[in-house]
């Protein structure tokens, strides 16, 4: 039972969900320096503001329990994280993900 719970937590922090956001946040400083993306990053308040916006949104909504279906707390949190992923294209920072090379939650990024 303990191993099963551990596996559930690992799925939330798997590159397909949380790891993808970390890759984008890690790319923001570089993107703020590149001529092709710096103006867009500045338009949205700069790299630091975007980092806070993305991470705050993920931690606020990715673990809010919105996925609760009466099962375990872990299942509800996991579903909440996947719900956040499914709504990414509606987020105000979605284009930042695309500019960072995001292609989907399969863990792949364009170079």
């Amino acid at each position: 039972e303990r191993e099963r719970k551990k596996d559930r937590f690992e799925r939330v922090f798997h590159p397909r969900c949380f790891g993808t956001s970390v890759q984008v946040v890690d790319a923001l400083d570089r993107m703020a320096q590149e001529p092709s993306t710096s103006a867009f990053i500045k338009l949205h308040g700069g790299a630091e503001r975007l980092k806070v916006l993305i991470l705050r949104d993920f931690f606020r909504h990715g673990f809010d329990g919105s996925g609760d279906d009466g099962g375990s707390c872990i299942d509800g949190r996991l579903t909440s994280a996947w719900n956040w992923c499914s709504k990414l294209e509606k987020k105000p920072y979605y284009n930042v993900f695309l500019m960072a090379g995001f292609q989907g939650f399969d863990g792949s990024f364009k170079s």
Side-chain angles (χ1 to χ4, degrees):
E1 178 65 27
R2 184 181 182 121
E3 194 63 33
R4 215 173 104 208
K5 287 182 181 179
K6 180 183 172 202
D7 181 56
R8 290 177 187 169
F9 278 118
E10 287 173 351
R11 281 186 271 164
V12 172
F13 292 101
H14 190 275
R16 291 185 179 187
C17 196
F18 184 67
T20 298
S21 298
V22 170
Q23 284 182 286
V24 172
V25 167
D26 283 347
L28 284 169
D29 289 327
R30 175 186 48 79
M31 291 169 62
Q33 301 301 316
E34 291 179 2
S36 61
T37 54
S38 63
F40 188 83
I41 299 300
K42 285 179 190 173
L43 180 68
H44 288 84
E48 291 303 315
R49 182 179 179 283
L50 281 166
K51 288 177 188 180
V52 170
L53 179 67
I54 293 166
L55 292 174
R56 181 181 59 205
D57 190 58
F58 180 78
F59 283 105
R60 183 177 287 161
H61 300 290
F63 298 97
D64 64 2
S66 63
D68 182 26
D69 62 357
S72 74
C73 175
I74 301 305
D75 287 337
R77 298 294 189 253
L78 178 61
T79 306
S80 297
W82 286 116
N83 286 346
W84 180 89
C85 293
S86 72
K87 296 175 183 171
L88 180 64
E89 65 188 31
K90 294 176 175 58
K91 303 288 184 178
Y93 48 78
Y94 179 62
N95 287 333
V96 173
F97 271 66
L98 295 176
M99 293 169 67
F102 171 76
Q103 293 182 308
F105 286 102
D106 63 357
S108 65
F109 269 72
K110 281 191 258 181
S111 298

